[in-house]
Amino acid sequence: MPAKASAAPSETAERIVETAMELIQTRGFSAISYQDISDRLAIRKASIHYHFPSKADLGIAVVEAYAAALKAHMDAIIADDALTSIAMFDRYCQPFRQLAATPDKICLCGALAGEILALPEPMRPIVKAFFAVHEAWLERMLARGIERGEVRKDIDPAGAARLIFSSLQGALLVRRTADDRNQVEDVIATIKAQFLAPPA
Amino acid sequence: MPAKASAAPSETAERIVETAMELIQTRGFSAISYQDISDRLAIRKASIHYHFPSKADLGIAVVEAYAAALKAHMDAIIADDALTSIAMFDRYCQPFRQLAATPDKICLCGALAGEILALPEPMRPIVKAFFAVHEAWLERMLARGIERGEVRKDIDPAGAARLIFSSLQGALLVRRTADDRNQVEDVIATIKAQFLAPPA
DNA sequence: GTCTATACAAAGATAGAC
DNA sequence: GTCTATCTTTGTATAGAC
């Protein structure tokens, strides 16, 4: 029963998705093939096609899994109402820090966004929704911080959320190429200093 | 005399580079082919191979041309010593605004950075140098602005330069997918408000 | 559910005529 | 400098045995 949107995936299907995710994060969607995945899993190409008939099916499964994992992470942060704004942001950044700690991974949706017009059409709205969800989460966090007096009143939550999210995506992109370990940390530190410092 | 690093390129070679650049900015390097270019130019694949024997040769020519054009733009800004910091930044942003005005183009090096590990090895250091040059330029602009009292003294020019450059790259990436015309303008406005406002 | 085998198209690249 | 023709490899995908 392959490629069913919300069926419990078999273990093999999960390993395929995980491997594909890593490969896309390092090389991009256009550049990877069923052969690349089958090499890593010691499984045949045809077996991958059994679970994911087309490359579009596989891509959709990968991006849905990624988006769902990060959504759960964000929901968990929101659920803890006692957190300060800066603690919320630190927890939000954790997955991005983890990516920055790898030698060559970037955000899956950042990688896909760079080649969005080369993607199978059904993948695109999922990437789009991912960005919208993250920017909305950041905007809400900032608005809450202003209410609580933890964030400067003179910032625009929507504009700042866009800057923050864009800079995190861009920082991951740039740091991999620049091979500079501090790129992402510098950006996070600057965001905190400029946007999450208590009002003067 | 094709593929010579600094020979004057023929007009056909120039048209090939220009077309390839646009295609890479919209679809990515891995996703485009000699066939795509030959279709657009009403020329045969073999003719492109005459000018650029391998895809790596073509990629190098494209990224070198792009980097050189933006380098000239930055040099022209630096040459005008009378500009205020905010005027310098506005002129710096002009090429990025132009990209944001297209339906589907992002920074060439942003697109390439997303698939850096899938690129022919000789292309990579050129992308890397592009990022280093831009961040250094922004850092210098900010440091000058602090000296002139146009930029807040409490910011770290290196960290802020990284945030600004990352956010511009990220904003182009996100706005294309989000199809949101204001993404890039919002980010530029927020940068100005937070980093280029006069000291309190 | 995984395998072998294969079909079919597209890719990068070269040879050689004009 | 551009063309036609062709080679070789790779990629996505399917058929059918086990």
Side-chain angles (χ1 to χ4, degrees), chain A residues 42-113:
Chain A
I43 200 181
R44 296 288 142 178
K45 280 197 292 177
S47 304
I48 304 176
H49 278 286
Y50 169 78
H51 293 283
F52 304 98
S54 77
K55 201 180 172 187
D57 295 321
L58 176 56
I60 291 165
V62 169
V63 65
E64 280 182 344
Y66 184 83
L70 283 199
K71 182 63 165 49
H73 178 67
M74 290 189 287
D75 286 347
I77 300 171
I78 288 276
D80 187 349
D81 205 52
L83 291 174
T84 64
S85 300
I86 210 158
M88 287 181 75
F89 182 64
D90 258 325
R91 281 185 60 181
Y92 173 79
C93 286
Q94 198 192 314
F96 297 109
R97 284 183 207 266
Q98 278 176 10
L99 291 174
T102 66
D104 47 29
K105 275 160 92 171
I106 63 176
C107 174
L108 178 85
C109 290
L112 295 177

Side-chain angles (χ1 to χ4, degrees), chain A residues 26-27 31 104 113-114 116-118 135 152 155 159 162-163 166-167 170-171 176 180 182-183 186 190-191 194-195, chain B residues 26-27 31 104 113-114 116-118 135 152 155 159 162-163 166-167 170-171 176 180 183 186 190-191 194-195:
Chain A
T26 51
R27 304 172 45 80
D104 47 29
I116 194 88
L117 292 173
E135 290 193 343
R152 293 168 43 183
I155 69 154
R162 286 177 165 179
L163 177 98
S166 293
S167 66
R176 177 172 65 177
D180 181 342
N182 291 323
Q183 182 86 26
D186 271 11
T190 304
I191 291 168
Q194 292 301 315
F195 295 96
Chain B
T26 51
R27 303 173 45 81
D104 48 28
I116 192 89
L117 292 173
E135 290 193 343
R152 292 168 43 183
I155 70 153
R162 286 178 164 178
L163 177 100
S166 292
S167 65
R176 178 172 66 176
D180 180 344
Q183 182 86 26
D186 271 11
T190 304
I191 290 168
Q194 291 301 315
F195 295 98

Side-chain angles (χ1 to χ4, degrees), chain B residues 21-35:
Chain B
M21 193 183 293
E22 280 191 31
L23 286 169
I24 296 168
Q25 288 181 279
T26 51
R27 303 173 45 81
F29 185 78
S30 302
I32 67 158
S33 67
Y34 277 60
Q35 189 64 57

Side-chain angles (χ1 to χ4, degrees), chain B residues 29-171:
Chain B
F29 185 78
S30 302
I32 67 158
S33 67
Y34 277 60
Q35 189 64 57
D36 294 326
I37 300 165
S38 83
D39 287 345
R40 291 216 179 183
L41 293 178
I43 199 181
R44 297 288 143 177
K45 279 198 295 176
S47 304
I48 304 176
H49 278 286
Y50 169 78
H51 293 283
F52 303 98
S54 78
K55 201 179 174 189
D57 295 321
L58 176 56
I60 291 165
V62 169
V63 65
E64 280 182 343
Y66 184 83
L70 282 199
K71 181 64 165 47
H73 178 68
M74 290 188 287
D75 286 346
I77 300 171
I78 287 277
D80 187 349
D81 205 51
L83 291 174
T84 65
S85 300
I86 211 157
M88 287 180 75
F89 183 64
D90 257 325
R91 282 185 60 181
Y92 173 79
C93 287
Q94 197 192 315
F96 296 109
R97 283 185 208 265
Q98 278 177 10
L99 291 174
T102 67
D104 48 28
K105 274 161 94 171
I106 62 175
C107 174
L108 177 85
C109 289
L112 296 175
E115 48 184 345
I116 192 89
L117 292 173
L119 299 182
E121 206 280 323
M123 292 178 67
R124 301 182 202 173
I126 314 178
V127 178
K128 180 174 177 166
F130 175 89
F131 289 155
V133 163
H134 279 250
E135 290 193 343
W137 188 95
L138 286 166
E139 182 177 345
R140 184 175 161 189
M141 181 272 287
L142 290 170
R144 172 181 173 279
I146 291 172
E147 276 171 31
R148 292 166 54 110
E150 293 167 352
V151 170
R152 292 168 43 183
K153 281 189 181 60
D154 63 330
I155 70 153
D156 165 44
R162 286 178 164 178
L163 177 100
I164 292 169
F165 184 69
S166 292
S167 65
L168 288 172
Q169 289 293 332

